[in-house]
Amino acid sequence: MDRRRFLASAAIPIGITTAGCSFAPGRTVTLQAETERQDAGRQNETYLVYRHDGEEVRVVGFNQGSFPPSLDEEFGLGLFIEYDEATTLESFRFDLRAPPTGEPADIYLASPAGDAWPYLTYGRVDGDGSTRIALADAVDSVDETMFINTVIDPNAAAVEAIAIDIEMELTADGTGTTYRAETTTTFEPETR
């Protein structure tokens, strides 16, 4: 996609307490996600909750920012990663495709809040039409919660689902433990 449109960014309020884990230094832990959906009132949210040994480690979430009259109209989608202060987000990658098959929609990136993110990459993935939003070196760019807002602009077909591939890496401060996660999920937008 050659054109980019940056929009004003708005934070998604969320408060989740996470518990830390202690491991032997230098250990790599692969995290698996449990999906939790929430659709109460005017919210449409999906959370991927990553646990290790029964303890909640991190949360990745998707929040529908606006509700169009029909799914062939533009709407907002927020992405966030939340983690506790004892963990550092090293890198992340979101590949978004809407709809999952057929001609892809345009996905515009809102300007991230806070200081400049010099290593943020954004653009179409060659061959599959997904839009990639990635940060290879997140350490100095984000604190305990990272928010990114996007706008989904359907082109040829209604967006009844958004395929999302996620990769992220975090380190547990002081333990040398690295957490890695790769997850594929689907977000289903709604109308109101």
Side-chain angles (χ1 to χ4, degrees):
M1 172 167 36
D2 291 329
R3 65 181 185 160
R4 292 184 184 183
R5 183 166 77 185
F6 292 92
L7 306 170
S9 179
I12 303 168
I14 185 92
I16 299 173
T17 305
T18 59
C21 300
S22 61
F23 304 104
R27 183 173 178 188
T28 299
V29 177
T30 301
L31 301 174
Q32 301 299 317
E34 296 174 23
T35 303
E36 297 179 4
R37 288 183 177 25
Q38 185 175 42
D39 187 9
R42 291 200 44 87
Q43 296 182 353
N44 180 13
E45 299 175 347
T46 298
Y47 300 99
L48 300 176
V49 180
Y50 293 91
R51 290 185 172 85
H52 181 72
D53 289 340
E55 297 284 329
E56 187 175 289
V57 178
R58 300 299 161 254
V59 175
V60 174
F62 312 99
N63 178 305
Q64 189 170 343
S66 59
F67 298 92
S70 71
L71 293 177
D72 55 2
E73 295 181 39
E74 192 175 280
F75 62 91
L77 176 68
L79 318 168
F80 61 90
I81 300 173
E82 182 163 86
Y83 49 97
D84 67 26
E85 62 185 331
T87 305
T88 301
L89 178 64
E90 299 291 335
S91 63
F92 66 82
R93 176 184 59 82
F94 290 97
D95 284 353
L96 309 171
R97 183 166 170 83
T101 60
E103 182 181 338
D106 285 331
I107 300 175
Y108 300 112
L109 174 65
S111 200
D115 295 334
W117 293 16
Y119 305 110
L120 184 73
T121 59
Y122 163 74
R124 267 300 149 98
V125 176
D126 289 337
D128 76 355
S130 295
T131 297
R132 176 168 293 167
I133 302 168
L135 192 58
D137 185 6
V139 175
D140 296 326
S141 303
V142 295
D143 245 338
E144 295 170 25
T145 305
M146 181 279 313
F147 297 103
I148 294 179
N149 291 310
T150 66
V151 173
I152 311 296
D153 184 7
N155 282 327
V159 176
E160 295 176 357
I162 302 167
I164 305 171
D165 291 320
I166 304 153
E167 287 184 14
M168 67 176 170
E169 184 172 301
L170 305 105
T171 56
D173 298 340
T175 68
T177 301
T178 299
Y179 296 109
R180 289 196 177 122
E182 291 184 33
T183 306
T184 297
T185 191
T186 303
F187 183 87
E188 296 178 3
E190 297 178 358
T191 59
R192 301 280 179 181

mmCIF file of all heavy atoms in Angstrom, residues 9-45:
data_model
loop_
_atom_site.group_PDB
_atom_site.id
_atom_site.type_symbol
_atom_site.label_atom_id
_atom_site.label_comp_id
_atom_site.label_asym_id
_atom_site.label_seq_id
_atom_site.Cartn_x
_atom_site.Cartn_y
_atom_site.Cartn_z
ATOM 1 N N SER A 9 -4.408 9.718 17.701
ATOM 2 C CA SER A 9 -4.437 8.516 18.521
ATOM 3 C C SER A 9 -5.198 8.774 19.807
ATOM 4 O O SER A 9 -5.129 9.846 20.381
ATOM 5 C CB SER A 9 -2.999 8.095 18.840
ATOM 6 O OG SER A 9 -3.015 6.954 19.643
ATOM 7 N N ALA A 10 -5.938 7.768 20.265
ATOM 8 C CA ALA A 10 -6.657 7.861 21.528
ATOM 9 C C ALA A 10 -6.378 6.602 22.320
ATOM 10 O O ALA A 10 -6.358 5.517 21.783
ATOM 11 C CB ALA A 10 -8.161 7.996 21.279
ATOM 12 N N ALA A 11 -6.130 6.747 23.599
ATOM 13 C CA ALA A 11 -5.830 5.597 24.453
ATOM 14 C C ALA A 11 -7.096 4.811 24.740
ATOM 15 O O ALA A 11 -8.182 5.362 24.834
ATOM 16 C CB ALA A 11 -5.196 6.070 25.752
ATOM 17 N N ILE A 12 -6.940 3.513 24.896
ATOM 18 C CA ILE A 12 -8.046 2.638 25.268
ATOM 19 C C ILE A 12 -7.879 2.361 26.752
ATOM 20 O O ILE A 12 -6.899 1.759 27.150
ATOM 21 C CB ILE A 12 -7.983 1.316 24.484
ATOM 22 C CG1 ILE A 12 -7.993 1.595 22.980
ATOM 23 C CG2 ILE A 12 -9.104 0.387 24.894
ATOM 24 C CD1 ILE A 12 -7.650 0.399 22.149
ATOM 25 N N PRO A 13 -8.796 2.818 27.613
ATOM 26 C CA PRO A 13 -8.603 2.590 29.034
ATOM 27 C C PRO A 13 -8.803 1.124 29.387
ATOM 28 O O PRO A 13 -9.780 0.509 28.993
ATOM 29 C CB PRO A 13 -9.687 3.461 29.677
ATOM 30 C CG PRO A 13 -10.721 3.620 28.620
ATOM 31 C CD PRO A 13 -10.017 3.538 27.297
ATOM 32 N N ILE A 14 -7.835 0.568 30.094
ATOM 33 C CA ILE A 14 -7.926 -0.826 30.515
ATOM 34 C C ILE A 14 -7.051 -0.990 31.739
ATOM 35 O O ILE A 14 -6.012 -0.384 31.842
ATOM 36 C CB ILE A 14 -7.481 -1.783 29.379
ATOM 37 C CG1 ILE A 14 -7.680 -3.245 29.770
ATOM 38 C CG2 ILE A 14 -6.057 -1.596 28.986
ATOM 39 C CD1 ILE A 14 -8.985 -3.784 29.368
ATOM 40 N N GLY A 15 -7.461 -1.776 32.672
ATOM 41 C CA GLY A 15 -6.648 -2.007 33.852
ATOM 42 C C GLY A 15 -6.645 -3.479 34.198
ATOM 43 O O GLY A 15 -7.653 -4.030 34.594
ATOM 44 N N ILE A 16 -5.515 -4.135 34.019
ATOM 45 C CA ILE A 16 -5.400 -5.547 34.315
ATOM 46 C C ILE A 16 -4.139 -5.745 35.140
ATOM 47 O O ILE A 16 -3.075 -5.267 34.788
ATOM 48 C CB ILE A 16 -5.322 -6.390 33.019
ATOM 49 C CG1 ILE A 16 -6.601 -6.179 32.206
ATOM 50 C CG2 ILE A 16 -5.093 -7.856 33.337
ATOM 51 C CD1 ILE A 16 -6.575 -6.801 30.858
ATOM 52 N N THR A 17 -4.254 -6.454 36.245
ATOM 53 C CA THR A 17 -3.104 -6.732 37.081
ATOM 54 C C THR A 17 -2.526 -8.066 36.674
ATOM 55 O O THR A 17 -3.255 -9.043 36.518
ATOM 56 C CB THR A 17 -3.525 -6.789 38.566
ATOM 57 O OG1 THR A 17 -4.182 -5.571 38.882
ATOM 58 C CG2 THR A 17 -2.327 -6.991 39.454
ATOM 59 N N THR A 18 -1.205 -8.109 36.483
ATOM 60 C CA THR A 18 -0.570 -9.359 36.098
ATOM 61 C C THR A 18 0.390 -9.805 37.180
ATOM 62 O O THR A 18 0.952 -9.003 37.900
ATOM 63 C CB THR A 18 0.198 -9.202 34.765
ATOM 64 O OG1 THR A 18 1.169 -8.177 34.930
ATOM 65 C CG2 THR A 18 -0.741 -8.861 33.634
ATOM 66 N N ALA A 19 0.571 -11.107 37.264
ATOM 67 C CA ALA A 19 1.487 -11.670 38.245
ATOM 68 C C ALA A 19 2.761 -12.099 37.549
ATOM 69 O O ALA A 19 2.728 -12.665 36.472
ATOM 70 C CB ALA A 19 0.829 -12.870 38.923
ATOM 71 N N GLY A 20 3.889 -11.854 38.171
ATOM 72 C CA GLY A 20 5.174 -12.236 37.594
ATOM 73 C C GLY A 20 5.534 -13.656 37.974
ATOM 74 O O GLY A 20 4.987 -14.243 38.886
ATOM 75 N N CYS A 21 6.481 -14.214 37.252
ATOM 76 C CA CYS A 21 6.959 -15.560 37.524
ATOM 77 C C CYS A 21 8.468 -15.487 37.673
ATOM 78 O O CYS A 21 9.113 -14.653 37.061
ATOM 79 C CB CYS A 21 6.640 -16.503 36.360
ATOM 80 S SG CYS A 21 4.887 -16.646 36.018
ATOM 81 N N SER A 22 9.039 -16.369 38.464
ATOM 82 C CA SER A 22 10.491 -16.390 38.580
ATOM 83 C C SER A 22 11.019 -17.713 38.047
ATOM 84 O O SER A 22 10.469 -18.775 38.315
ATOM 85 C CB SER A 22 10.915 -16.187 40.031
ATOM 86 O OG SER A 22 10.396 -17.217 40.830
ATOM 87 N N PHE A 23 12.082 -17.646 37.264
ATOM 88 C CA PHE A 23 12.666 -18.806 36.627
ATOM 89 C C PHE A 23 14.173 -18.717 36.740
ATOM 90 O O PHE A 23 14.725 -17.699 37.112
ATOM 91 C CB PHE A 23 12.298 -18.856 35.129
ATOM 92 C CG PHE A 23 10.826 -18.834 34.868
ATOM 93 C CD1 PHE A 23 10.200 -17.678 34.422
ATOM 94 C CD2 PHE A 23 10.066 -19.968 35.055
ATOM 95 C CE1 PHE A 23 8.847 -17.661 34.181
ATOM 96 C CE2 PHE A 23 8.699 -19.952 34.803
ATOM 97 C CZ PHE A 23 8.103 -18.808 34.375
ATOM 98 N N ALA A 24 14.827 -19.781 36.334
ATOM 99 C CA ALA A 24 16.279 -19.765 36.272
ATOM 100 C C ALA A 24 16.713 -18.809 35.166
ATOM 101 O O ALA A 24 16.052 -18.703 34.136
ATOM 102 C CB ALA A 24 16.786 -21.171 35.987
ATOM 103 N N PRO A 25 17.840 -18.082 35.359
ATOM 104 C CA PRO A 25 18.308 -17.128 34.356
ATOM 105 C C PRO A 25 18.543 -17.790 33.001
ATOM 106 O O PRO A 25 18.975 -18.934 32.915
ATOM 107 C CB PRO A 25 19.622 -16.606 34.944
ATOM 108 C CG PRO A 25 19.508 -16.855 36.412
ATOM 109 C CD PRO A 25 18.668 -18.097 36.545
ATOM 110 N N GLY A 26 18.222 -17.052 31.942
ATOM 111 C CA GLY A 26 18.477 -17.507 30.595
ATOM 112 C C GLY A 26 17.442 -18.459 30.025
ATOM 113 O O GLY A 26 17.626 -19.012 28.961
ATOM 114 N N ARG A 27 16.344 -18.631 30.653
ATOM 115 C CA ARG A 27 15.312 -19.556 30.198
ATOM 116 C C ARG A 27 14.391 -18.872 29.186
ATOM 117 O O ARG A 27 14.023 -17.718 29.353
ATOM 118 C CB ARG A 27 14.496 -20.010 31.401
ATOM 119 C CG ARG A 27 13.443 -21.014 31.050
ATOM 120 C CD ARG A 27 12.777 -21.548 32.288
ATOM 121 N NE ARG A 27 11.739 -22.488 31.881
ATOM 122 C CZ ARG A 27 10.878 -23.027 32.688
ATOM 123 N NH1 ARG A 27 10.917 -22.747 33.965
ATOM 124 N NH2 ARG A 27 9.963 -23.851 32.250
ATOM 125 N N THR A 28 14.004 -19.609 28.135
ATOM 126 C CA THR A 28 13.042 -19.105 27.159
ATOM 127 C C THR A 28 11.735 -19.866 27.344
ATOM 128 O O THR A 28 11.728 -21.095 27.367
ATOM 129 C CB THR A 28 13.554 -19.279 25.724
ATOM 130 O OG1 THR A 28 14.761 -18.533 25.574
ATOM 131 C CG2 THR A 28 12.532 -18.790 24.715
ATOM 132 N N VAL A 29 10.651 -19.130 27.478
ATOM 133 C CA VAL A 29 9.336 -19.715 27.709
ATOM 134 C C VAL A 29 8.425 -19.317 26.547
ATOM 135 O O VAL A 29 8.287 -18.135 26.242
ATOM 136 C CB VAL A 29 8.732 -19.214 29.046
ATOM 137 C CG1 VAL A 29 7.332 -19.766 29.239
ATOM 138 C CG2 VAL A 29 9.632 -19.586 30.213
ATOM 139 N N THR A 30 7.813 -20.319 25.899
ATOM 140 C CA THR A 30 6.844 -20.060 24.838
ATOM 141 C C THR A 30 5.461 -19.996 25.472
ATOM 142 O O THR A 30 5.046 -20.929 26.163
ATOM 143 C CB THR A 30 6.892 -21.162 23.772
ATOM 144 O OG1 THR A 30 8.211 -21.201 23.223
ATOM 145 C CG2 THR A 30 5.885 -20.891 22.669
ATOM 146 N N LEU A 31 4.788 -18.889 25.266
ATOM 147 C CA LEU A 31 3.471 -18.673 25.859
ATOM 148 C C LEU A 31 2.370 -19.043 24.879
ATOM 149 O O LEU A 31 2.464 -18.745 23.691
ATOM 150 C CB LEU A 31 3.307 -17.203 26.264
ATOM 151 C CG LEU A 31 4.311 -16.654 27.273
ATOM 152 C CD1 LEU A 31 4.093 -15.153 27.447
ATOM 153 C CD2 LEU A 31 4.191 -17.374 28.604
ATOM 154 N N GLN A 32 1.322 -19.672 25.390
ATOM 155 C CA GLN A 32 0.128 -19.981 24.613
ATOM 156 C C GLN A 32 -1.000 -19.071 25.099
ATOM 157 O O GLN A 32 -1.068 -18.746 26.280
ATOM 158 C CB GLN A 32 -0.267 -21.448 24.793
ATOM 159 C CG GLN A 32 0.811 -22.428 24.372
ATOM 160 C CD GLN A 32 1.182 -22.312 22.908
ATOM 161 O OE1 GLN A 32 0.318 -22.174 22.051
ATOM 162 N NE2 GLN A 32 2.469 -22.361 22.618
ATOM 163 N N ALA A 33 -1.891 -18.697 24.210
ATOM 164 C CA ALA A 33 -2.968 -17.758 24.550
ATOM 165 C C ALA A 33 -4.289 -18.467 24.776
ATOM 166 O O ALA A 33 -4.598 -19.443 24.094
ATOM 167 C CB ALA A 33 -3.127 -16.720 23.447
ATOM 168 N N GLU A 34 -5.047 -17.942 25.711
ATOM 169 C CA GLU A 34 -6.453 -18.298 25.880
ATOM 170 C C GLU A 34 -7.249 -17.089 25.415
ATOM 171 O O GLU A 34 -6.936 -15.955 25.785
ATOM 172 C CB GLU A 34 -6.764 -18.584 27.347
ATOM 173 C CG GLU A 34 -6.025 -19.776 27.911
ATOM 174 C CD GLU A 34 -6.257 -19.925 29.404
ATOM 175 O OE1 GLU A 34 -7.284 -19.424 29.911
ATOM 176 O OE2 GLU A 34 -5.405 -20.537 30.053
ATOM 177 N N THR A 35 -8.280 -17.303 24.611
ATOM 178 C CA THR A 35 -9.061 -16.203 24.066
ATOM 179 C C THR A 35 -10.254 -15.914 24.958
ATOM 180 O O THR A 35 -10.973 -16.828 25.356
ATOM 181 C CB THR A 35 -9.553 -16.543 22.646
ATOM 182 O OG1 THR A 35 -8.416 -16.845 21.831
ATOM 183 C CG2 THR A 35 -10.327 -15.386 22.039
ATOM 184 N N GLU A 36 -10.433 -14.639 25.280
ATOM 185 C CA GLU A 36 -11.595 -14.192 26.044
ATOM 186 C C GLU A 36 -12.270 -13.080 25.263
ATOM 187 O O GLU A 36 -11.628 -12.117 24.874
ATOM 188 C CB GLU A 36 -11.170 -13.669 27.420
ATOM 189 C CG GLU A 36 -10.531 -14.721 28.298
ATOM 190 C CD GLU A 36 -10.091 -14.178 29.646
ATOM 191 O OE1 GLU A 36 -10.349 -12.987 29.932
ATOM 192 O OE2 GLU A 36 -9.477 -14.942 30.398
ATOM 193 N N ARG A 37 -13.573 -13.225 25.029
ATOM 194 C CA ARG A 37 -14.323 -12.201 24.310
ATOM 195 C C ARG A 37 -15.238 -11.482 25.281
ATOM 196 O O ARG A 37 -15.784 -12.081 26.206
ATOM 197 C CB ARG A 37 -15.145 -12.832 23.198
ATOM 198 C CG ARG A 37 -14.278 -13.317 22.043
ATOM 199 C CD ARG A 37 -15.084 -13.874 20.917
ATOM 200 N NE ARG A 37 -14.464 -14.326 19.724
ATOM 201 C CZ ARG A 37 -13.259 -14.760 19.489
ATOM 202 N NH1 ARG A 37 -12.396 -14.777 20.430
ATOM 203 N NH2 ARG A 37 -12.860 -15.180 18.318
ATOM 204 N N GLN A 38 -15.403 -10.191 25.053
ATOM 205 C CA GLN A 38 -16.270 -9.393 25.917
ATOM 206 C C GLN A 38 -17.125 -8.505 25.020
ATOM 207 O O GLN A 38 -16.614 -7.801 24.165
ATOM 208 C CB GLN A 38 -15.417 -8.536 26.847
ATOM 209 C CG GLN A 38 -16.218 -7.769 27.859
ATOM 210 C CD GLN A 38 -15.290 -7.043 28.824
ATOM 211 O OE1 GLN A 38 -14.299 -6.481 28.415
ATOM 212 N NE2 GLN A 38 -15.653 -7.061 30.082
ATOM 213 N N ASP A 39 -18.420 -8.580 25.222
ATOM 214 C CA ASP A 39 -19.338 -7.779 24.423
ATOM 215 C C ASP A 39 -20.450 -7.297 25.341
ATOM 216 O O ASP A 39 -21.558 -7.798 25.314
ATOM 217 C CB ASP A 39 -19.897 -8.606 23.262
ATOM 218 C CG ASP A 39 -20.726 -7.768 22.303
ATOM 219 O OD1 ASP A 39 -20.727 -6.527 22.447
ATOM 220 O OD2 ASP A 39 -21.374 -8.348 21.425
ATOM 221 N N ALA A 40 -20.108 -6.356 26.188
ATOM 222 C CA ALA A 40 -21.077 -5.823 27.151
ATOM 223 C C ALA A 40 -21.326 -4.354 26.837
ATOM 224 O O ALA A 40 -20.388 -3.581 26.681
ATOM 225 C CB ALA A 40 -20.542 -5.962 28.572
ATOM 226 N N GLY A 41 -22.578 -3.978 26.750
ATOM 227 C CA GLY A 41 -22.894 -2.578 26.455
ATOM 228 C C GLY A 41 -22.406 -2.191 25.080
ATOM 229 O O GLY A 41 -22.730 -2.808 24.087
ATOM 230 N N ARG A 42 -21.573 -1.141 25.018
ATOM 231 C CA ARG A 42 -21.064 -0.648 23.738
ATOM 232 C C ARG A 42 -19.629 -1.067 23.495
ATOM 233 O O ARG A 42 -18.892 -0.396 22.791
ATOM 234 C CB ARG A 42 -21.190 0.863 23.683
ATOM 235 C CG ARG A 42 -22.639 1.311 23.607
ATOM 236 C CD ARG A 42 -22.809 2.701 23.078
ATOM 237 N NE ARG A 42 -22.019 3.038 21.931
ATOM 238 C CZ ARG A 42 -22.357 2.828 20.660
ATOM 239 N NH1 ARG A 42 -23.476 2.206 20.369
ATOM 240 N NH2 ARG A 42 -21.584 3.227 19.684
ATOM 241 N N GLN A 43 -19.192 -2.168 24.072
ATOM 242 C CA GLN A 43 -17.830 -2.633 23.858
ATOM 243 C C GLN A 43 -17.828 -3.908 23.043
ATOM 244 O O GLN A 43 -18.703 -4.742 23.177
ATOM 245 C CB GLN A 43 -17.126 -2.895 25.193
ATOM 246 C CG GLN A 43 -16.952 -1.648 26.018
ATOM 247 C CD GLN A 43 -16.205 -1.948 27.305
ATOM 248 O OE1 GLN A 43 -15.933 -3.090 27.623
ATOM 249 N NE2 GLN A 43 -15.881 -0.912 28.033
ATOM 250 N N ASN A 44 -16.844 -4.035 22.197
ATOM 251 C CA ASN A 44 -16.582 -5.270 21.479
ATOM 252 C C ASN A 44 -15.084 -5.482 21.602
ATOM 253 O O ASN A 44 -14.306 -4.832 20.916
ATOM 254 C CB ASN A 44 -17.010 -5.178 20.022
ATOM 255 C CG ASN A 44 -16.744 -6.467 19.263
ATOM 256 O OD1 ASN A 44 -16.468 -7.506 19.850
ATOM 257 N ND2 ASN A 44 -16.813 -6.401 17.945
ATOM 258 N N GLU A 45 -14.679 -6.357 22.502
ATOM 259 C CA GLU A 45 -13.265 -6.551 22.790
ATOM 260 C C GLU A 45 -12.927 -8.038 22.786
ATOM 261 O O GLU A 45 -13.739 -8.871 23.168
ATOM 262 C CB GLU A 45 -12.899 -5.970 24.158
ATOM 263 C CG GLU A 45 -13.147 -4.476 24.249
ATOM 264 C CD GLU A 45 -12.897 -3.897 25.629
ATOM 265 O OE1 GLU A 45 -12.765 -4.677 26.590
ATOM 266 O OE2 GLU A 45 -12.834 -2.682 25.729
#
